[in-house]
């Protein structure tokens, strides 16, 4: 199984900050990676697919990059709505697996 | 508007069974792979199972193989998860989710989830 490791697990930041979250795969997954946002008490929401493609309707301050085993999600200017937990997920093979999550908290 | 609405959750004793349902609307259900994803209380996301458009292909995470069965009824626009021999570690919020229209494997629409609690 492919293991997905996210870092950091928790991140404290202020509105307007640039934030970067890293996701590493235990083996190459090409660009078969998605990012999700989950607000408390809500279902996950797709942000990015194929490592860097922005889902329709998602603000352009979100961006993704990487390929192979190392990927990043960047929020260029953190907004109040962005305080949430973020998960990466590979879809290179079965089983599909998620990273452990990164909680973005208010500093 | 795409809607996925889960039902059938609740409290069940260890070793018991439960059947989850997911009612889909707002899209051509029969054209999409469908998934179950779960989230234990305070924990991260875990993919559980998925099924292809006509039900001929199914995949499961190892921890549920032989205990859970995913199925669908395209005439009723519904997805199911039959859960047998339930364990305490199956306690979680279970989400129904669709795979993207190109069937590459990311999950583009999610339901709100249904809680399953396994406890005596």
């Amino acid at each position: 199984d492919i293991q997905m490791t996210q870092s950091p697990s928790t991140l404290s930041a202020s509105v307007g900050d640039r934030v970067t979250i890293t996701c590493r795969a235990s083996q190459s997954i090409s660009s078969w990676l998605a990012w999700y946002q989950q607000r408390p008490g809500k279902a996950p929401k797709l942000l990015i697919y194929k490592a860097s493609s922005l889902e329709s309707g998602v603000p352009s301050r979100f961006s993704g990059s990487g390929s192979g085993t190392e990927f990043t999600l960047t929020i260029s200017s953190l907004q109040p709505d962005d305080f949430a937990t973020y998960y990466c997920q590979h879809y290179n093979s079965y089983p599909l697996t998620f990273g452990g999550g990164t909680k973005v908290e208010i500093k | 508007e795409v809607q996925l609405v889960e039902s059938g959750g609740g409290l069940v004793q260890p070793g018991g069974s439960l059947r989850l349902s997911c009612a889909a609307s707002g899209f051509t259900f029969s054209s999409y792979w469908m998934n179950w994803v779960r989230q234990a209380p305070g924990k991260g996301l875990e993919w559980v199972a998925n099924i292809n458009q006509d039900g001929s292909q199914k995949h499961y995470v190892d921890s549920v193989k032989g205990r859970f069965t995913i199925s669908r009824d395209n005439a009723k626009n519904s997805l199911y998860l039959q859960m047998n021999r339930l364990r305490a570690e199956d306690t979680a919020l279970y989400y129904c989710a669709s795979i993207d229209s190109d069937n590459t494997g990311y999950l583009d629409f999610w339901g709100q989830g249904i809680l399953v609690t396994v406890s005596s």
Side-chain angles (χ1 to χ4, degrees):
Chain A
D1 297 0
I2 297 173
Q3 310 303 317
M4 306 301 293
T5 304
Q6 281 183 240
S7 60
S9 54
T10 307
L11 187 160
S12 295
S14 301
V15 173
D17 283 354
R18 181 182 182 88
V19 163
T20 298
I21 297 168
T22 298
C23 177
R24 287 187 174 88
S26 60
Q27 65 187 72
S28 178
I29 58 170
S30 184
S31 295
W32 303 121
L33 185 98
W35 289 97
Y36 303 89
Q37 176 194 65
Q38 187 177 35
R39 297 190 178 105
K42 299 295 186 182
K45 173 189 172 185
L46 176 68
L47 299 176
I48 302 281
Y49 61 94
K50 209 173 179 186
S52 60
S53 296
L54 192 68
E55 173 70 348
S56 175
V58 173
S60 58
R61 62 181 180 273
F62 291 93
S63 64
S65 65
S67 66
T69 61
E70 189 149 338
F71 303 85
T72 58
L73 173 71
T74 300
I75 309 172
S76 60
S77 177
L78 201 64
Q79 298 302 301
D81 270 354
D82 302 340
F83 291 96
T85 300
Y86 294 84
Y87 295 93
C88 61
Q89 174 232 327
H90 87 82
Y91 47 102
N92 181 77
S93 59
Y94 287 107
L96 309 180
T97 54
F98 292 86
T102 296
K103 185 175 183 179
V104 177
E105 297 180 327
I106 300 173
K107 193 173 186 179
Chain B
E1 180 196 2
V2 172
Q3 280 203 315
L4 297 168
V5 180
E6 301 92 341
S7 60
L11 175 64
V12 61
Q13 292 189 338
S17 298
L18 211 54
R19 189 197 196 204
L20 303 184
S21 299
C22 171
S25 60
F27 66 109
T28 308
F29 177 75
S30 59
S31 296
Y32 290 82
W33 280 75
M34 295 296 298
N35 300 258
W36 289 99
V37 177
R38 67 185 178 184
Q39 187 169 34
K43 302 296 185 184
L45 300 168
E46 180 183 39
W47 173 80
V48 174
N50 70 8
I51 186 169
N52 73 335
Q53 292 90 334
D54 66 5
S56 61
Q57 296 180 54
K58 303 175 185 181
H59 301 278
Y60 298 92
V61 68
D62 280 351
S63 60
V64 308
K65 280 180 184 174
R67 300 189 300 123
F68 290 11
T69 302
I70 189 171
S71 62
R72 65 191 297 160
D73 184 336
N74 288 337
K76 294 183 178 179
N77 287 343
S78 292
L79 176 72
Y80 306 102
L81 186 67
Q82 177 67 43
M83 304 185 294
N84 298 331
R85 292 186 280 141
L86 282 159
R87 306 167 180 166
E89 53 265 37
D90 296 318
T91 294
L93 190 61
Y94 283 75
Y95 294 101
C96 163
S98 59
I99 276 184
D100 66 283
S101 57
D102 292 326
N103 295 324
T104 58
Y106 60 89
L107 306 173
D108 55 358
F109 292 104
W110 297 64
Q112 286 306 300
I114 191 74
L115 184 62
V116 172
T117 303
V118 184
S119 174
S120 54

Short mmCIF file of all heavy atoms in Angstrom, two decimals, chain A residues 18-48:
data_model
loop_
_atom_site.label_atom_id
_atom_site.label_comp_id
_atom_site.label_asym_id
_atom_site.label_seq_id
_atom_site.Cartn_x
_atom_site.Cartn_y
_atom_site.Cartn_z
N ARG A 18 1.02 33.44 3.91
CA ARG A 18 1.20 32.42 2.88
C ARG A 18 1.46 31.11 3.62
O ARG A 18 2.32 31.06 4.51
CB ARG A 18 2.37 32.76 1.97
CG ARG A 18 2.62 31.77 0.85
CD ARG A 18 3.85 32.22 0.05
NE ARG A 18 4.14 31.32 -1.08
CZ ARG A 18 3.61 31.46 -2.29
NH1 ARG A 18 2.75 32.44 -2.54
NH2 ARG A 18 3.93 30.62 -3.25
N VAL A 19 0.73 30.07 3.25
CA VAL A 19 0.80 28.80 3.97
C VAL A 19 1.14 27.69 2.98
O VAL A 19 0.59 27.63 1.88
CB VAL A 19 -0.57 28.51 4.65
CG1 VAL A 19 -0.70 27.07 5.04
CG2 VAL A 19 -0.77 29.43 5.84
N THR A 20 2.06 26.80 3.39
CA THR A 20 2.42 25.66 2.55
C THR A 20 2.33 24.38 3.35
O THR A 20 2.84 24.29 4.47
CB THR A 20 3.85 25.83 2.00
OG1 THR A 20 3.90 27.01 1.18
CG2 THR A 20 4.24 24.63 1.14
N ILE A 21 1.66 23.40 2.79
CA ILE A 21 1.50 22.07 3.39
C ILE A 21 2.16 21.07 2.45
O ILE A 21 1.99 21.14 1.22
CB ILE A 21 0.01 21.74 3.57
CG1 ILE A 21 -0.65 22.74 4.53
CG2 ILE A 21 -0.17 20.31 4.07
CD1 ILE A 21 -2.17 22.67 4.54
N THR A 22 2.89 20.13 3.03
CA THR A 22 3.61 19.13 2.25
C THR A 22 3.00 17.76 2.40
O THR A 22 2.53 17.39 3.49
CB THR A 22 5.09 19.09 2.68
OG1 THR A 22 5.69 20.35 2.42
CG2 THR A 22 5.85 18.00 1.94
N CYS A 23 2.99 17.01 1.32
CA CYS A 23 2.50 15.63 1.32
C CYS A 23 3.53 14.78 0.58
O CYS A 23 3.93 15.12 -0.54
CB CYS A 23 1.14 15.59 0.61
SG CYS A 23 0.42 13.95 0.44
N ARG A 24 3.96 13.71 1.24
CA ARG A 24 4.95 12.81 0.62
C ARG A 24 4.35 11.42 0.47
O ARG A 24 3.71 10.90 1.40
CB ARG A 24 6.21 12.75 1.47
CG ARG A 24 7.05 14.01 1.40
CD ARG A 24 8.38 13.87 2.11
NE ARG A 24 9.20 15.06 1.90
CZ ARG A 24 9.17 16.14 2.67
NH1 ARG A 24 8.35 16.20 3.70
NH2 ARG A 24 9.95 17.17 2.41
N ALA A 25 4.58 10.82 -0.69
CA ALA A 25 4.12 9.46 -0.96
C ALA A 25 5.27 8.48 -0.77
O ALA A 25 6.42 8.81 -1.03
CB ALA A 25 3.58 9.36 -2.38
N SER A 26 4.95 7.27 -0.31
CA SER A 26 5.98 6.28 -0.04
C SER A 26 6.57 5.69 -1.32
O SER A 26 7.62 5.03 -1.27
CB SER A 26 5.42 5.16 0.84
OG SER A 26 4.33 4.53 0.20
N GLN A 27 5.92 5.92 -2.45
CA GLN A 27 6.46 5.55 -3.76
C GLN A 27 5.87 6.51 -4.78
O GLN A 27 4.91 7.24 -4.48
CB GLN A 27 6.16 4.09 -4.10
CG GLN A 27 4.69 3.78 -4.27
CD GLN A 27 4.43 2.29 -4.44
OE1 GLN A 27 4.54 1.52 -3.50
NE2 GLN A 27 4.10 1.90 -5.65
N SER A 28 6.43 6.50 -5.97
CA SER A 28 5.97 7.45 -6.98
C SER A 28 4.50 7.25 -7.33
O SER A 28 4.05 6.12 -7.55
CB SER A 28 6.80 7.33 -8.25
OG SER A 28 6.31 8.23 -9.23
N ILE A 29 3.77 8.37 -7.36
CA ILE A 29 2.36 8.33 -7.76
C ILE A 29 2.12 9.25 -8.96
O ILE A 29 0.99 9.67 -9.21
CB ILE A 29 1.42 8.71 -6.59
CG1 ILE A 29 1.76 10.11 -6.05
CG2 ILE A 29 1.48 7.67 -5.49
CD1 ILE A 29 0.70 10.64 -5.06
N SER A 30 3.20 9.57 -9.69
CA SER A 30 3.09 10.48 -10.83
C SER A 30 2.41 11.76 -10.35
O SER A 30 2.88 12.38 -9.40
CB SER A 30 2.34 9.80 -11.97
OG SER A 30 2.30 10.63 -13.10
N SER A 31 1.30 12.15 -10.96
CA SER A 31 0.57 13.35 -10.50
C SER A 31 -0.81 12.99 -9.98
O SER A 31 -1.70 13.85 -9.90
CB SER A 31 0.44 14.35 -11.65
OG SER A 31 1.69 14.84 -12.04
N TRP A 32 -0.99 11.72 -9.61
CA TRP A 32 -2.31 11.25 -9.16
C TRP A 32 -2.55 11.60 -7.70
O TRP A 32 -2.59 10.75 -6.81
CB TRP A 32 -2.46 9.76 -9.40
CG TRP A 32 -2.26 9.34 -10.82
CD1 TRP A 32 -1.34 8.47 -11.29
CD2 TRP A 32 -2.99 9.80 -11.98
NE1 TRP A 32 -1.46 8.33 -12.66
CE2 TRP A 32 -2.46 9.14 -13.11
CE3 TRP A 32 -4.05 10.70 -12.18
CZ2 TRP A 32 -2.94 9.35 -14.41
CZ3 TRP A 32 -4.53 10.90 -13.47
CH2 TRP A 32 -3.98 10.24 -14.56
N LEU A 33 -2.71 12.90 -7.45
CA LEU A 33 -2.88 13.38 -6.10
C LEU A 33 -3.97 14.44 -6.04
O LEU A 33 -4.04 15.31 -6.90
CB LEU A 33 -1.57 14.00 -5.56
CG LEU A 33 -1.70 14.41 -4.10
CD1 LEU A 33 -1.13 13.35 -3.18
CD2 LEU A 33 -1.10 15.76 -3.84
N ALA A 34 -4.78 14.35 -5.00
CA ALA A 34 -5.83 15.33 -4.76
C ALA A 34 -5.66 15.94 -3.37
O ALA A 34 -5.08 15.32 -2.48
CB ALA A 34 -7.21 14.68 -4.87
N TRP A 35 -6.19 17.15 -3.22
CA TRP A 35 -6.21 17.84 -1.92
C TRP A 35 -7.66 18.17 -1.58
O TRP A 35 -8.44 18.59 -2.44
CB TRP A 35 -5.42 19.14 -1.98
CG TRP A 35 -3.93 18.98 -2.07
CD1 TRP A 35 -3.16 19.02 -3.20
CD2 TRP A 35 -3.02 18.80 -0.98
NE1 TRP A 35 -1.83 18.87 -2.88
CE2 TRP A 35 -1.72 18.73 -1.52
CE3 TRP A 35 -3.18 18.70 0.42
CZ2 TRP A 35 -0.59 18.56 -0.72
CZ3 TRP A 35 -2.06 18.54 1.19
CH2 TRP A 35 -0.77 18.46 0.63
N TYR A 36 -8.00 18.00 -0.30
CA TYR A 36 -9.34 18.29 0.20
C TYR A 36 -9.24 19.21 1.41
O TYR A 36 -8.28 19.16 2.18
CB TYR A 36 -10.05 17.00 0.64
CG TYR A 36 -10.16 15.96 -0.46
CD1 TYR A 36 -9.14 15.03 -0.64
CD2 TYR A 36 -11.26 15.91 -1.30
CE1 TYR A 36 -9.21 14.08 -1.65
CE2 TYR A 36 -11.35 14.97 -2.31
CZ TYR A 36 -10.31 14.06 -2.47
OH TYR A 36 -10.40 13.13 -3.48
N GLN A 37 -10.30 20.00 1.59
CA GLN A 37 -10.46 20.84 2.77
C GLN A 37 -11.64 20.31 3.57
O GLN A 37 -12.69 20.00 2.99
CB GLN A 37 -10.74 22.28 2.34
CG GLN A 37 -11.01 23.25 3.48
CD GLN A 37 -11.63 24.55 2.97
OE1 GLN A 37 -12.73 24.59 2.44
NE2 GLN A 37 -10.88 25.64 3.11
N GLN A 38 -11.46 20.20 4.87
CA GLN A 38 -12.58 19.79 5.73
C GLN A 38 -12.74 20.78 6.87
O GLN A 38 -11.85 20.89 7.73
CB GLN A 38 -12.39 18.38 6.28
CG GLN A 38 -13.63 17.88 7.02
CD GLN A 38 -13.50 16.46 7.52
OE1 GLN A 38 -12.42 16.02 7.90
NE2 GLN A 38 -14.61 15.72 7.51
N ARG A 39 -13.85 21.48 6.87
CA ARG A 39 -14.18 22.37 7.98
C ARG A 39 -14.85 21.55 9.08
O ARG A 39 -15.44 20.50 8.80
CB ARG A 39 -15.09 23.51 7.52
CG ARG A 39 -14.44 24.42 6.48
CD ARG A 39 -15.29 25.65 6.25
NE ARG A 39 -14.66 26.56 5.29
CZ ARG A 39 -15.06 26.69 4.05
NH1 ARG A 39 -16.09 26.00 3.58
NH2 ARG A 39 -14.45 27.55 3.24
N PRO A 40 -14.80 22.00 10.34
CA PRO A 40 -15.38 21.23 11.45
C PRO A 40 -16.84 20.90 11.22
O PRO A 40 -17.63 21.79 10.86
CB PRO A 40 -15.19 22.16 12.65
CG PRO A 40 -14.00 22.99 12.30
CD PRO A 40 -14.09 23.21 10.81
N GLY A 41 -17.19 19.63 11.38
CA GLY A 41 -18.57 19.19 11.25
C GLY A 41 -19.07 19.10 9.81
O GLY A 41 -20.27 18.88 9.60
N LYS A 42 -18.18 19.27 8.86
CA LYS A 42 -18.58 19.25 7.45
C LYS A 42 -17.88 18.12 6.71
O LYS A 42 -16.87 17.59 7.15
CB LYS A 42 -18.24 20.58 6.78
CG LYS A 42 -18.94 21.78 7.39
CD LYS A 42 -20.43 21.72 7.20
CE LYS A 42 -21.13 22.97 7.69
NZ LYS A 42 -22.61 22.86 7.55
N ALA A 43 -18.42 17.79 5.53
CA ALA A 43 -17.79 16.81 4.66
C ALA A 43 -16.56 17.41 3.99
O ALA A 43 -16.49 18.63 3.82
CB ALA A 43 -18.78 16.34 3.61
N PRO A 44 -15.61 16.59 3.61
CA PRO A 44 -14.47 17.10 2.83
C PRO A 44 -14.94 17.71 1.52
O PRO A 44 -15.95 17.31 0.95
CB PRO A 44 -13.63 15.84 2.59
CG PRO A 44 -14.01 14.91 3.69
CD PRO A 44 -15.47 15.16 3.92
N LYS A 45 -14.14 18.67 1.07
CA LYS A 45 -14.42 19.37 -0.19
C LYS A 45 -13.18 19.31 -1.07
O LYS A 45 -12.08 19.61 -0.60
CB LYS A 45 -14.79 20.83 0.11
CG LYS A 45 -14.93 21.71 -1.11
CD LYS A 45 -15.07 23.17 -0.71
CE LYS A 45 -15.01 24.10 -1.91
NZ LYS A 45 -15.04 25.53 -1.51
N LEU A 46 -13.36 18.90 -2.32
CA LEU A 46 -12.23 18.82 -3.25
C LEU A 46 -11.71 20.21 -3.59
O LEU A 46 -12.48 21.10 -3.95
CB LEU A 46 -12.68 18.10 -4.53
CG LEU A 46 -11.66 18.00 -5.66
CD1 LEU A 46 -10.51 17.08 -5.26
CD2 LEU A 46 -12.34 17.50 -6.94
N LEU A 47 -10.39 20.38 -3.48
CA LEU A 47 -9.74 21.63 -3.87
C LEU A 47 -8.92 21.50 -5.15
O LEU A 47 -9.01 22.32 -6.05
CB LEU A 47 -8.79 22.10 -2.76
CG LEU A 47 -9.35 22.40 -1.38
CD1 LEU A 47 -8.21 22.74 -0.43
CD2 LEU A 47 -10.36 23.53 -1.44
N ILE A 48 -8.08 20.49 -5.17
CA ILE A 48 -7.07 20.30 -6.23
C ILE A 48 -7.10 18.85 -6.66
O ILE A 48 -7.22 17.95 -5.82
CB ILE A 48 -5.65 20.62 -5.70
CG1 ILE A 48 -5.55 22.05 -5.16
CG2 ILE A 48 -4.58 20.33 -6.75
CD1 ILE A 48 -5.40 23.12 -6.21
#
